[in-house]
Amino acid sequence: MALPSTYADRNCSLARALEIVGERWTLLIVRDAFFGIRRFGDFASQLGIPRAVLTNRLKFLVQENVLERVDGEYLLTAKGLRLWPVLRAMMAWGDEHYSPGGARRTFRHDADGGLLDTGDRCSTCGEVVSAPDVRIEPGPGFDPGNATPDPVSALLNTPRRLLEPL
Amino acid sequence: MALPSTYADRNCSLARALEIVGERWTLLIVRDAFFGIRRFGDFASQLGIPRAVLTNRLKFLVQENVLERVDGEYLLTAKGLRLWPVLRAMMAWGDEHYSPGGARRTFRHDADGGLLDTGDRCSTCGEVVSAPDVRIEPGPGFDPGNATPDPVSALLNTPRRLLEPL
DNA sequence: TTCGGCCAGTTCAGTGAATGAACTGCCGAT
DNA sequence: ATCGGCAGTTCATTCACTGAACTGGCCGAA
């Protein structure tokens, strides 16, 4: 997927979106950013992605204003935060079809602890919650034996709010 | 993105989902399937995708039970239909950030004509609508000058229900 | 001041997938 | 028999990904 890979179909916003976040690794990088990862080395070790590719992806995401660099850290911009529903929808589909033990992660409204549906609507207060107000925790389908033992993963598998730095 | 590209992170359903629909072209193929395209040649000409790649992607999607072959046509399965929210979320993001003239397509509840929000909730009846009940039409940001003149595109840019064959 | 470690990013050779164009083979209609 | 359209294959080329080693800046300690 070359960078200006210009899916010819300009009249479909899906094609446009895929030009930005459709490359291999990109959405996983964005996911990790939501999970609180901010530094080059943490992205690299968490994803097992070749460093050269990571450099390219981060550069591109910054250029496209999905991430911004602040004090050497990579942070999601407002535009990047709006990708949360995309990730959420994909995770829901993956849980539904590839996780027989139930969802691997559970999402709650941090303010009132209400469970969030796949559209991030809170079962307690009824509001649609945006990313910074989401708390994420291991769900019934989470497999501890499958988790890598490094300290960063351990932190990520602990209940925590989205975007909270490690 | 190799086929068993095994994003190491098995405990994230996003990684699992991306192994299925994360390859280049795949989501565009699925989108076209929602738009009513069913035949090899129509996918190929509509997407401008190399035929060898199309063959691989269709084969893989059938193997993964996202599409099924019926009478030589490629149809979305129940599992494939559940990808609609993913496409919808991506289109919404693309519209929001890359379509200054407004959304390129508008979605309505076919039964009552109500506008659908980005979570496919109908503004008239309040229900969340699933793919077969969605009607799609060119939106304010649609650029007719950008549309290719072939008859298939012309059909696709006409108001119609999702999944309706050409 | 110098040494060493850590972190971010680059370089590079090897591999594998995407690309685009041409080709094959299978119908069904004339 | 033959023609045309459709589905899929083949093939040489190009391009991106991979993984491992390397470079260079920035500390903090000796």
Side-chain angles (χ1 to χ4, degrees), chain A residues 1-2 5 7 9-18 20-25 27-28 31 64 66 79 82-83 85-87 89-91 93-99 104-105 121 141-144 146-147, chain B residues 1-2 5 7 9-18 20-25 27-28 31 64 66 79 82-83 85-87 89-91 93-99 104-105 121 141-144 146-147:
Chain A
M1 203 170 289
S5 62
Y7 290 106
D9 191 348
R10 287 305 173 141
N11 243 324
C12 184
S13 301
L14 178 67
R16 203 70 192 75
L18 285 172
I20 311 301
V21 297
E23 292 182 298
R24 186 144 148 77
W25 298 113
L27 277 180
L28 292 175
R31 175 204 63 180
E64 289 296 328
V66 171
K79 182 172 166 185
R82 297 294 226 140
L83 281 169
V86 173
L87 298 187
M90 277 215 181
M91 289 184 203
W93 189 82
D95 275 335
E96 187 178 343
H97 298 283
Y98 294 96
S99 186
R104 276 177 233 262
R105 310 206 184 245
R121 188 175 296 272
F142 182 80
D143 177 1
N146 220 346
Chain B
M1 205 171 287
S5 62
Y7 290 108
D9 190 348
R10 284 305 172 141
N11 242 324
C12 183
S13 300
L14 178 67
R16 203 72 192 72
L18 285 172
I20 312 301
V21 297
E23 293 181 299
R24 186 144 147 78
W25 298 113
L27 277 181
L28 292 174
R31 176 204 61 181
E64 289 296 328
V66 172
K79 182 172 166 186
R82 297 296 224 138
L83 281 170
V86 173
L87 299 187
M90 276 214 184
M91 289 184 205
W93 189 80
D95 276 335
E96 187 178 342
H97 297 284
Y98 295 96
S99 185
R104 277 177 233 263
R105 308 205 186 247
R121 187 175 297 272
F142 183 81
D143 177 0
N146 219 346

Side-chain angles (χ1 to χ4, degrees), chain B residues 10-102:
Chain B
R10 284 305 172 141
N11 242 324
C12 183
S13 300
L14 178 67
R16 203 72 192 72
L18 285 172
E19 286 177 18
I20 312 301
V21 297
E23 293 181 299
R24 186 144 147 78
W25 298 113
T26 301
L27 277 181
L28 292 174
I29 292 170
V30 171
R31 176 204 61 181
D32 276 6
F34 274 105
F35 285 2
I37 290 182
R38 297 178 165 193
R39 288 190 323 216
F40 185 94
D42 287 337
F43 283 111
S45 64
Q46 194 60 26
L47 294 172
I49 177 180
R51 304 167 79 79
V53 176
L54 182 58
T55 301
N56 287 339
R57 294 294 186 274
L58 289 172
K59 211 174 279 179
F60 183 65
L61 287 171
V62 168
Q63 177 192 316
E64 289 296 328
N65 197 31
V66 172
L67 299 179
E68 59 183 338
R69 273 203 92 164
V70 180
D71 296 337
E73 301 197 317
Y74 295 93
L75 305 183
L76 285 160
T77 63
K79 182 172 166 186
L81 289 177
R82 297 296 224 138
L83 281 170
W84 180 243
V86 173
L87 299 187
R88 198 68 170 76
M90 276 214 184
M91 289 184 205
W93 189 80
D95 276 335
E96 187 178 342
H97 297 284
Y98 295 96
S99 185

Side-chain angles (χ1 to χ4, degrees), chain A residues 36-100:
Chain A
I37 290 182
R38 299 179 164 192
R39 287 194 322 220
F40 185 93
D42 288 337
F43 284 111
S45 64
Q46 194 60 26
L47 295 170
I49 176 181
R51 305 168 76 78
V53 177
L54 181 57
T55 301
N56 286 340
R57 294 293 187 276
L58 289 172
K59 212 175 279 179
F60 183 64
L61 287 172
V62 168
Q63 177 192 317
E64 289 296 328
N65 197 31
V66 171
L67 298 179
E68 59 182 337
R69 274 202 91 167
V70 179
D71 294 337
E73 300 197 317
Y74 295 92
L75 304 183
L76 286 160
T77 62
K79 182 172 166 185
L81 289 176
R82 297 294 226 140
L83 281 169
W84 180 243
V86 173
L87 298 187
R88 198 70 172 73
M90 277 215 181
M91 289 184 203
W93 189 82
D95 275 335
E96 187 178 343
H97 298 283
Y98 294 96
S99 186

Side-chain angles (χ1 to χ4, degrees), chain B residues 101-114:
Chain B
R104 277 177 233 263
R105 308 205 186 247
T106 303
F107 302 87
R108 292 185 181 275
H109 189 184
D110 189 57
D112 59 24

